Structure formats: structure tokens, C-alpha cells
Amino acid sequence: MKVVHTIADLRAQLSNRSKRVLVPTMGNLHEGHLRLIDTARRHGEQVIASIFVNRLLFAPHEDFDRYPRTLERDCEMLASRGCDLVFAPDEKELYPQPQTFKVHPDPALADILEGHFRPGFFTGVCTVVMKLLSCVQPDVAIFGQKDYQQWRIMERLVNQFALPLQIVGEPTCRAEDGLALSSRNAYLNPTERVQAAQLSTQLRQIAEALRSGATDTSTLEAQATQTLNDQGWKVDYVTVRRRMDLLPPAPGEALAGACVVLAAARMGQTRLIDNLEV
Ligand code: AMP
């Protein structure tokens, strides 16, 4: 496995004869990321992982400076799963000048949910992903369904710009107690780590109720929010949305097979997100 830090070195390593698959990450890898690498292997011949903590994704009060950076360990993990090439540019390489050209996604999809609580977040995501796509020019790019809204926005981005690649969504990888794996789980203290599973428990309960025929999504959302707040969480949202456009389902609309329940909540200092398709 080769590790490159510049766009020039990256381009020199890209194979023109094989199908290229990109897995964009911010590093501090865990098993969830490695599943994306496994899936990438099945979709093409040259697997490229990018590792870049993108400043554009972080608001001034967020955790850009303390976001864990573990390049050496990440590379060992990637090599052990058959990644071919790692692109780990520094900020000066990817943003030699301030990035004044940006990709602004459709507000209807990007200013809701995560975009509501983190204004500009998806502009940061789309801008850096567009740049990574233009550096790597992959045939396929893999995104985790853990970041459900991000995955849907990527599908729309590729579709609207007619980018010549396929987006593949990888199902969320969870710990045994149901907690979705995330680099930010490392911020949880041992007590918080035990409590953190409560978030996916609430999502499961809503999903099961809807699959069993419940239709009152507002009550289910309110009950889950109340339970989590009573357990010490600070809930940003727990909400049932349509899978494709992330809008609330209309009254009478089919829920099972068509919706996803999404949540974001803070446990202590740590903000976690999760979702479950219904
Ligand atoms: P990040 O480094 O957190 O930006 O994540 C890089 C990619 O890995 C994104 O597409 C995430 O959605 C995906 N990812 C992160 N955690 C998980 C998980 N637990 N299961 C599946 N995909 C994940």
C-alpha cells in the first residue's frame, strides 16, 4: 500500500487500467470505516482511501483542533484490509489558497436536520468531496449510511452534476450494544459509553413500532425525545423522514420500507448521530 500526500503523487499512482474506488474519511479509523474498504474491494480493482480532516466541516466552536489524528495507525489498518493507496494531504495541499469556490447543495436537503444544527456543514462536505473526486476521478465512491443525510446528498450531487461515478452506501456498523461506531465515541467516558447505547435503542423502538403498523410518528418522536432527555441526553432531533428527500412523510403515506428514523443528541460533551431505516 502506498501513502501519498500530494495531488501530483496521487495522480502518478492512479491506475488508468483498473476500476478505481474511493473511500473518503477523516481518519481515526475504526471497523466501520474498514467495512467501507471491504465493500470498495468488491466494487473495483484499485481502492483509494483519503484521510483529511476538513476544516470547512467544523464550526468555530466545534472539535476541529481536538479531532483525533492517527495517521500511522490508520495506514496499518487500511493496509491490513487490502487498501491500495492512501491520499493524506495536509491543508496547504488541498487548500493552497482559501477555498472561495464552493459547492452549495440544495437547501431543501442540506439545510435541514444536520444542516440546521450545523449551518454550512454540507457545503463543506460537498466542496471537499468534489475536490477529492476531481483529484482521484473514481468510478465508485463509498459512503456510510451512518451519515445518512450526507449519503443522500452525495447521491444527489453526483446525479445533478452528471458526475461519471456511482455512489454506494454502506450499512452502519455497530458495537454489540447497538451503538453506531464513530470516531467521536472516543470522547465518551466509561459511564457515558454505557449510556450511549440508549440512542440506538430508541431508534429501534420507533422502527419496530412503525413496522408493526403504528402511524403516529409525532408521538413516537416525542416519546423518544422525552426518554432520552430524562436519561441525561440533550436531544437535537429524533424524527421520521422519507428515505429519499428526508422530508416528513405526508399523512397516510407508507412508512415501513419507505422511511428512516434519524436522531442527533448530545451525551455530555459528545454529539452523536444515528439512524435506522424503517
Ligand atoms: P468520517 O471519517 O467520520 O468522515 O467517516 C468516513 C466515512 O465512513 C463516511 O462515509 C462515514 O459515513 C463512514 N462511517 C463512519 N462510521 C461508520 C459506521 N459506523 N458504519 C458505516 N460507515 C461509517
Side-chain angles (χ1 to χ4, degrees):
M1 185 183 81
K2 280 244 162 21
V3 182
V4 294
H5 301 283
T6 66
I7 296 172
D9 287 347
L10 169 74
R11 293 216 161 115
Q13 292 298 328
L14 290 173
S15 159
N16 284 324
R17 284 185 304 277
S18 52
K19 198 170 169 189
R20 294 202 283 261
V21 190
L22 173 65
V23 179
T25 82
M26 298 205 299
N28 192 237
L29 303 183
H30 50 66
E31 180 61 25
H33 296 111
L34 300 179
R35 297 282 173 88
L36 273 67
I37 300 292
D38 296 343
T39 297
R41 282 247 66 88
R42 291 195 295 276
H43 277 83
E45 289 94 40
Q46 190 180 29
V47 174
I48 302 116
S50 63
I51 298 182
F52 182 64
V53 184
N54 179 21
R55 190 185 288 274
L56 298 183
L57 264 59
F58 294 79
H61 65 278
E62 291 185 328
D63 54 345
F64 177 77
D65 287 324
R66 70 175 181 133
Y67 198 87
R69 288 151 172 93
T70 52
L71 182 61
E72 210 170 304
R73 186 176 146 273
D74 292 345
C75 288
E76 283 166 18
M77 292 168 85
L78 289 168
S80 77
R81 295 294 261 264
C83 179
D84 299 298
L85 181 59
V86 177
F87 178 44
D90 66 12
E91 270 195 293
K92 276 251 160 329
E93 180 65 18
L94 220 51
Y95 301 125
Q97 305 104 27
Q99 184 73 24
T100 48
F101 280 51
K102 294 190 178 158
V103 179
H104 291 282
D106 181 352
L109 194 58
D111 287 1
I112 58 172
L113 305 170
E114 283 307 283
H116 174 77
F117 286 93
R118 306 178 73 185
F121 174 72
F122 288 115
T123 296
V125 173
C126 289
T127 302
V128 77
V129 168
M130 188 65 110
K131 198 147 182 172
L132 291 170
L133 293 176
S134 119
C135 292
V136 176
Q137 301 190 14
D139 300 286
V140 179
I142 318 277
F143 288 87
Q145 294 182 17
K146 150 103 180 6
D147 298 283
Y148 198 91
Q149 189 176 8
Q150 169 173 281
W151 169 46
R152 290 302 186 205
I153 290 172
M154 289 305 129
E155 287 182 329
R156 195 83 71 88
L157 173 86
V158 161
N159 179 273
Q160 287 227 337
F161 284 111
L163 300 178
L165 76 141
Q166 181 198 355
I167 298 291
V168 170
E170 173 70 18
T172 301
C173 177
R174 298 177 182 280
E176 266 185 26
D177 63 359
L179 175 67
L181 299 190
S182 163
S183 304
R184 290 192 167 94
N185 293 351
Y187 300 155
L188 299 166
N189 69 33
T191 314
E192 291 170 342
R193 170 61 192 84
V194 173
Q195 289 173 290
Q198 293 161 346
L199 187 62
S200 65
T201 302
Q202 289 305 314
L203 295 183
R204 240 181 358 260
Q205 285 182 4
I206 295 179
E208 279 164 16
L210 295 175
R211 286 185 204 123
S212 309
T215 54
D216 185 355
T217 52
S218 310
T219 301
L220 292 168
E221 292 165 358
Q223 281 170 346
T225 301
Q226 183 69 50
T227 304
L228 287 167
N229 284 333
D230 290 348
Q231 288 169 331
W233 294 77
K234 289 198 175 63
V235 174
D236 281 347
Y237 57 83
V238 176
T239 183
V240 178
R241 297 296 172 103
R242 305 202 297 217
R243 288 187 192 176
M244 297 313 295
D245 59 14
L246 301 182
L247 292 177
E253 199 173 321
L255 301 173
C259 282
V260 54
V261 47
L262 305 118
R266 206 174 292 276
M267 163 61 61
Q269 296 299 304
T270 310
R271 188 173 182 279
L272 299 179
I273 61 170
D274 199 355
N275 69 83
L276 211 53
E277 286 186 338
V278 177

